[in-house]
């Protein structure tokens, strides 16, 4: 009967571990098609939920590139606009007093998701630098009805 020595057992364990790591290294090294696909999706994903007159999102994030995964769970269509704002001042409103004047914040807008049907999920990728951001829906009356969230990045 053959019995492995401690040295042989260690060698087999090392070989097994190496074989397990080869596929992982291939997927994350950037080589081959699988590597490129993995690198593209390697960013951080943040879940955001929209429903009538509320947006649920993290209050704080670190600096970096994020994919916002936005779910509309409300019965109505909703959009999402991400804008960097300074201080605690409210966003400028249009003459109707119910919607944000998007032209006045155009330079501070990082991204927009157009209105989507209920029970849909969409994604938006943004690069966040230190500062204060507002995520909001600007459908008629939604922003003024409370459909916005503040996000601080540091």
């Amino acid at each position: 009967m053959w019995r492995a020595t401690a040295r042989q057992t260690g060698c087999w364990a090392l070989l097994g571990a190496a074989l397990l790591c080869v596929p992982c290294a291939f997927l994350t090294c950037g080589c081959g098609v699988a590597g490129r696909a993995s690198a593209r999706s390697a960013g951080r994903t943040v879940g955001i939920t929209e429903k009538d007159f509320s947006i649920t999102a993290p209050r704080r994030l670190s600096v970096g590139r994020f994919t916002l995964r936005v779910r509309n769970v409300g019965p109505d269509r909703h959009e999402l606009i991400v804008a960097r704002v300074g201080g605690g001042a409210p966003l400028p409103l249009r003459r109707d007093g119910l919607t944000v004047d998007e032209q006045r914040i155009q330079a501070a807008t990082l991204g927009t998701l157009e209105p989507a049907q209920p029970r849909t999920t969409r994604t938006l990728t943004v690069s966040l630098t230190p500062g204060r951001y507002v995520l909001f829906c600007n459908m008629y009356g939604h922003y003024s009805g409370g459909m916005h969230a503040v996000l601080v990045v540091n």
Side-chain angles (χ1 to χ4, degrees):
M1 175 173 172
W2 179 77
R3 292 185 78 171
T5 65
R7 184 175 183 192
Q8 290 171 328
T9 302
C11 289
W12 283 110
L14 184 59
L15 178 62
L19 289 174
L20 287 173
C21 290
V22 168
C24 296
F26 178 75
L27 288 174
T28 59
C29 71
C31 56
V33 174
R36 283 195 297 274
S38 177
R40 260 198 314 269
S41 61
R44 296 175 280 182
T45 300
V46 175
I48 296 173
T49 303
E50 295 178 308
K51 61 182 178 181
D52 285 0
F53 305 108
S54 75
I55 293 179
T56 304
R59 294 176 191 249
R60 294 190 175 279
L61 287 174
S62 58
V63 171
R65 188 172 175 86
F66 292 88
T67 297
L68 307 180
R69 186 175 183 270
V70 183
R71 289 183 6 183
N72 178 1
V73 298
D76 293 322
R77 293 167 39 104
H78 295 295
E79 67 182 342
L80 183 77
I81 300 172
V82 179
R84 187 163 195 251
V85 295
L91 294 175
L93 299 180
R94 293 183 183 137
R95 286 184 174 208
D96 63 15
L98 299 172
T99 55
V100 174
D101 187 340
E102 292 179 39
Q103 288 182 335
R104 289 178 55 193
I105 64 163
Q106 187 173 9
T109 301
L110 273 69
T112 301
L113 288 174
E114 293 301 319
Q117 296 297 325
R119 294 172 298 284
T120 58
T121 300
R122 303 159 294 151
T123 60
L124 174 66
T125 301
V126 294
S127 291
L128 301 175
T129 58
R132 184 174 177 268
Y133 297 81
V134 176
L135 291 69
F136 65 99
C137 176
N138 207 28
M139 303 288 288
Y140 190 77
H142 290 202
Y143 174 77
S144 62
M147 197 162 179
H148 50 86
V150 174
L151 170 64
V152 176
V153 175
N154 48 22

